[in-house]
Amino acid sequence: MNKTELIDKIAAGAGLTKVDAKKALDATVAAIKEALINGDKIALVGFGTFSVNERPAREGINPATKEKIQIAAKKVAKFKAGAELADAIK
């Protein structure tokens, strides 16, 4: 499903116009993004939790040259499905 299809589903499910559904989706995504940038955790009961994890620096191998390289530390977004969502998928 792409963004346009998701907007159509939101509009149909909530009785909104597609323009309003797009605004709602964009605002939701922006709020989640802003919270993650600030290091906050977002818990949506029944759906899941968004958080930021830090990956430490590590040593890797360049597959083309087989040389050892340093991989820098970085922050990554993480999503953990809630029990209700996980059960629905089964």
Side-chain angles (χ1 to χ4, degrees):
M1 176 180 291
N2 62 29
K3 185 176 179 180
T4 303
E5 293 167 341
L6 182 57
I7 289 169
D8 292 344
K9 289 268 191 185
I10 293 170
L16 301 171
T17 65
K18 288 182 184 180
V19 172
D20 289 339
K22 181 182 184 310
K23 287 179 185 176
L25 178 60
D26 289 343
T28 302
V29 170
I32 291 171
K33 183 178 175 181
E34 184 178 327
L36 291 175
I37 288 170
N38 292 332
D40 295 334
K41 185 161 125 177
I42 302 102
L44 303 173
V45 176
F47 184 69
T49 304
F50 295 92
S51 61
V52 176
N53 279 7
E54 292 194 30
R55 289 191 181 162
R58 60 189 171 90
E59 191 174 272
I61 297 176
N62 181 338
T65 63
K66 307 296 184 214
E67 290 181 36
K68 290 185 178 182
I69 57 172
Q70 281 301 111
I71 300 172
K74 68 178 183 176
K75 293 181 181 181
V76 294
K78 178 183 171 188
F79 175 75
K80 182 173 189 255
E84 190 175 315
L85 177 61
D87 290 342
I89 293 173
K90 288 183 182 177

